[in-house]
Amino acid sequence: MRAALAEASAALATGDVPIGAVVLDASGAVVGTGRNVRERDADPTGHAEVVALREAARARGEWRLTGCTLVVTLEPCTMCAGAAVLARVDRVVFGAYDDKAGAVGSLWDVVRDRRLNHRPEVLAGVLEAESVALLDGFFAEHR
């Protein structure tokens, strides 16, 4: 989670919401990193999780990320939760809950929907205070 927090902090330089993500392989090695790049790239899909999943898939040479863990500072939205399911990650770990758009338990629970063919394990609230502080600081400056 500390690596994801570092990615989130780096997003501040481009005016993006400070959300960071890393993908770890089964041995715990980082195979993908990402931060929000929506502002920088003018890309509505430029969420930290999507960026990290894409990088991990390129590094592994396949889209199936079986055995991997997606670690992200904020609870994934519906798009990112869906991407985690489709990438077949084994688990999703996140820091802060997102009561406005969270899709891993807050508003929706995409990753544990029994109608889908893959359901990652979820670990929530990891370094939650640090994740919340980074987001709160960003939004305090932009209000």
Side-chain angles (χ1 to χ4, degrees):
M1 184 59 77
R2 297 238 182 258
L5 284 164
E7 286 293 321
S9 293
L12 294 169
T14 57
D16 281 283
V17 177
I19 300 169
V22 296
V23 176
L24 308 172
D25 69 12
S27 73
V30 174
V31 293
T33 62
R35 64 184 71 121
N36 270 10
V37 293
R38 292 189 314 167
E39 298 298 331
R40 185 191 78 187
D41 295 354
D43 178 1
T45 67
H47 290 207
E49 301 94 322
V50 171
V51 174
L53 289 167
R54 285 178 180 155
E55 187 174 295
R58 275 193 301 276
R60 290 178 51 137
E62 63 177 323
W63 63 267
R64 286 179 193 85
L65 299 178
T66 305
C68 291
T69 298
L70 172 63
V71 180
V72 61
T73 57
L74 182 66
E75 178 183 0
C77 68
T78 53
M79 176 181 68
C80 295
V85 169
L86 293 172
R88 310 292 196 271
V89 297
D90 283 8
R91 74 196 47 78
V92 174
V93 175
F94 69 87
Y97 286 88
D98 186 351
D99 295 332
K100 294 181 182 178
V104 184
S106 290
L107 289 181
W108 299 282
D109 201 350
V110 172
V111 299
R112 289 178 280 221
D113 190 320
R114 294 208 170 275
R115 295 170 292 183
L116 299 175
N117 65 339
H118 179 74
R119 289 178 296 281
E121 173 188 350
V122 175
L123 180 59
V126 176
L127 297 181
E128 181 176 10
E130 290 89 336
S131 297
V132 168
L134 195 55
L135 289 163
D136 285 351
F138 174 82
F139 287 113
E141 290 182 15
H142 288 83
R143 289 188 178 130

